Amino acid sequence: MENINILEEKENPLYNRKEIKIIGKSKINPNKIDSEKLISEKFSKPVENIVIKKIKGKFGRDTFLITAN
């Protein structure tokens, strides 16, 4: 992925986690493993602690919405 923008970042104290929504720009569909590595580097967290809930793209566009915990 070339660049990412954070749309939403909120703390969930009940589950002791951070919930994020990111828009990423890429020529190909990002897979979960690459997305986990990218988020891990961005937030300085181990890859094992990141769970990708959804990767959503629209036909003909090179932007993707990634929802993760």
Side-chain angles (χ1 to χ4, degrees):
M1 241 186 274
E2 297 165 6
N3 60 10
I4 60 171
N5 295 325
I6 300 171
L7 284 180
E8 184 179 328
E9 179 180 353
K10 64 180 178 178
E11 285 288 329
N12 189 338
L14 181 63
Y15 294 114
N16 193 22
R17 68 181 179 196
K18 187 180 290 192
E19 299 172 353
I20 58 172
K21 289 185 181 180
I22 294 175
I23 289 200
K25 189 170 184 175
S26 177
K27 296 292 181 192
I28 58 172
N29 282 349
N31 58 15
K32 285 188 174 188
I33 296 169
D34 292 338
S35 300
E36 286 174 348
K37 288 179 185 175
L38 183 70
I39 293 170
S40 171
E41 293 170 2
K42 180 76 174 176
F43 290 98
S44 302
K45 301 289 180 185
V47 176
E48 299 85 32
N49 293 351
I50 296 172
V51 177
I52 303 293
K53 290 172 53 178
K54 184 183 347 178
I55 299 175
K56 187 176 180 180
K58 292 193 176 185
F59 182 76
R61 294 193 181 164
D62 59 353
T63 57
F64 298 91
L65 175 68
I66 301 170
T67 307
N69 293 332

